[in-house]
C-alpha cells in the first residue's frame, strides 16, 4: 500500500494492516495508534504525516504525561519561543499541573553566567547583549528533565527504526545531545554528510521541516540519525543497534545515554 493511502486510513483500518499487528515499543499485540513525535510538539498540533505507529494501550498511555513534559522542555529549547508565547504558556501550565517536579528542579544561571553561556554558543558579544536586552535568561535543566530527553531519544530510536527498517526494534538505543554551536564544526558536518536519508516532512501537503527535521542512515541491524526541533539549541544524536550487532564489551563515551536491551523477546518483521 502506498504512503498516501496509508495516511488516510482510520484507526481500525490502520491496525488491520499486516505490518501494524504489533506494538512498536514492546512487541505485544497492537490495540491503538501512537503519534511520534507527539502532536503537541507542533504548532496547532499539525504533526507530520506518516509518523503514526501501532502500539498497545499500556505503552501508549504510559507515555502521556512524559510527552506533555517533553513538549515544555522542547519549547524551552526553541530560540523562537517568543514567536508563539501562548503555546509555551500552555505547555508550562500542563507541566505545573501534572509534572511539577520538572519545574521545581529548574535552576536559573546568574546574569554573568548566562551571558557567558550565550557568548560561548554564538561566539560573539553582540548576540549575547541582544538576548540580554530582550530579558532572556538561561535555565539549567534538572535530572528529571534530562532523563525525559534521554527517554524521548529511545522512543525516536524505536519508532524511526520501525519506519525505516521495517521491523520492531530489539536492541539498545544510544543517544547524546549536541550543542548548536557545533553546527559549523567540520566533524559534525562530516557526520551529517554520511546520513543520506532526508525524509519529506509534510502536513496536508505543507512543508513543516522547520518544526522537525532529521537526517538518517538505516542499514540492516542499525539506525542512525541526527534530529532537531524548530530553532534548536541542541541536536539529538541517536543510534539504535540491533541486539545481535552490539559489539561485545562496548564502552559508551562520556555524555552518552545507553538504554539497555529493550523491545520484544521475539523479533517481528513488517510484512509488505
Amino acid at each position: 500500500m502506498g504512503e498516501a493511502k496509508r495516511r488516510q486510513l482510520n484507526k481500525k483500518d490502520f491496525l488491520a494492516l499486516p505490518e501494524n499487528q504489533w506494538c512498536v515499543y514492546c512487541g505485544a499485540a497492537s490495540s491503538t495508534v501512537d503519534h511520534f513525535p507527539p502532536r503537541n510538539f507542533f504548532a496547532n498540533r499539525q504533526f507530520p504525516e506518516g509518523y503514526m505507529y501501532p502500539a498497545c494501550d499500556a505503552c501508549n498511555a504510559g507515555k502521556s504525561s512524559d510527552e506533555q513534559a517533553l513538549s515544555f522542555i522542547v519549547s524551552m529549547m526553541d530560540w523562537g519561543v517568543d514567536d508563539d508565547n501562548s503555546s509555551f504558556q500552555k505547555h508550562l501550565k500542563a507541566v505545573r499541573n501534572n509534572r511539577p517536579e520538572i519545574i521545581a528542579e529548574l535552576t536559573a544561571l546568574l546574569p554573568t553566567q548566562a551571558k557567558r553561556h550565550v557568548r560561548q554558543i554564538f561566539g560573539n558579544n553582540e548576540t549575547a547583549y541582544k538576548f540580554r536586552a530582550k530579558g532572556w535568561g538561561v535555565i539549567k535543566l534538572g535530572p528529571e528533565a534530562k532523563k525525559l530527553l534521554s527517554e524521548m531519544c529511545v522512543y525516536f530510536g524505536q519508532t524511526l527504526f520501525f519506519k525505516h527498517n521495517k521491523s520492531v526494534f530489539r536492541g539498545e538505543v544510544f543517544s547524546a545531545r549536541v550543542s548548536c554551536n557545533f553546527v559549523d564544526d567540520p566533524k559534525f558536518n562530516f557526520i551529517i554528510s554520511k546520513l543520506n536519508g532526508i525524509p519529506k516532512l509534510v502536513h496536508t501537503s505543507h512543508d513543516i521541516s522547520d518544526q522537525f527535521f532529521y537526517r538518517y542512515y538505516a542499514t540492516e541491524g542499525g539506525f542512525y540519525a541526527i534530529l532537531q526541533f524548530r530553532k534548536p539549541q541542541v541536536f539529538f544524536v541517536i543510534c539504535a543497534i540491533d541486539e545481535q550487532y552490539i559489539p561485545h564489551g562496548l564502552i559508551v563515551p562520556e555524555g552518552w545515554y545507553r538504554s539497555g536491551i529493550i523491545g520484544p523477546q521475539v523479533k517481528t518483521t513488517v510484512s509488505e
Side-chain angles (χ1 to χ4, degrees), residues 158-227:
Q158 291 174 294
T159 54
L160 294 178
F161 184 99
F162 177 86
K163 181 176 181 65
H164 297 294
N165 288 51
K166 308 302 182 185
S167 64
V168 176
F169 177 69
R170 177 172 173 78
E172 288 195 78
V173 175
F174 305 84
S175 64
R177 296 187 295 276
V178 179
S179 173
C180 66
N181 62 325
F182 283 97
V183 70
D184 295 322
D185 187 287
K187 292 182 180 178
F188 184 80
N189 283 279
F190 174 77
I191 295 173
I192 288 284
S193 70
K194 297 300 181 181
L195 304 176
N196 56 12
I198 307 176
K200 292 183 178 180
L201 296 163
V202 298
H203 179 86
T204 59
S205 301
H206 297 290
D207 183 355
I208 58 170
S209 60
D210 60 330
Q211 296 191 63
F212 169 56
F213 176 80
Y214 69 98
R215 290 193 178 186
Y216 71 91
Y217 177 73
T219 186
E220 181 180 357
F223 176 82
Y224 313 90
I226 291 180
L227 301 84

Side-chain angles (χ1 to χ4, degrees), residues 30-87:
S30 61
S31 53
T32 187
V33 177
D34 185 33
H35 300 83
F36 207 82
R39 284 174 285 191
N40 54 10
F41 272 30
F42 300 91
N44 300 317
R45 294 171 63 86
Q46 295 182 344
F47 63 94
E49 297 168 356
Y51 288 77
M52 49 193 292
Y53 304 94
C56 67
D57 286 324
C59 286
N60 203 354
K63 292 163 60 263
S64 179
S65 65
D66 286 353
E67 290 178 356
Q68 282 185 336
L70 283 168
S71 297
F72 168 67
I73 297 168
V74 168
S75 294
M76 285 199 300
M77 291 182 171
D78 181 3
W79 289 122
V81 68
D82 54 349
D83 296 337
D84 184 14
N85 192 51
S86 62
S87 177

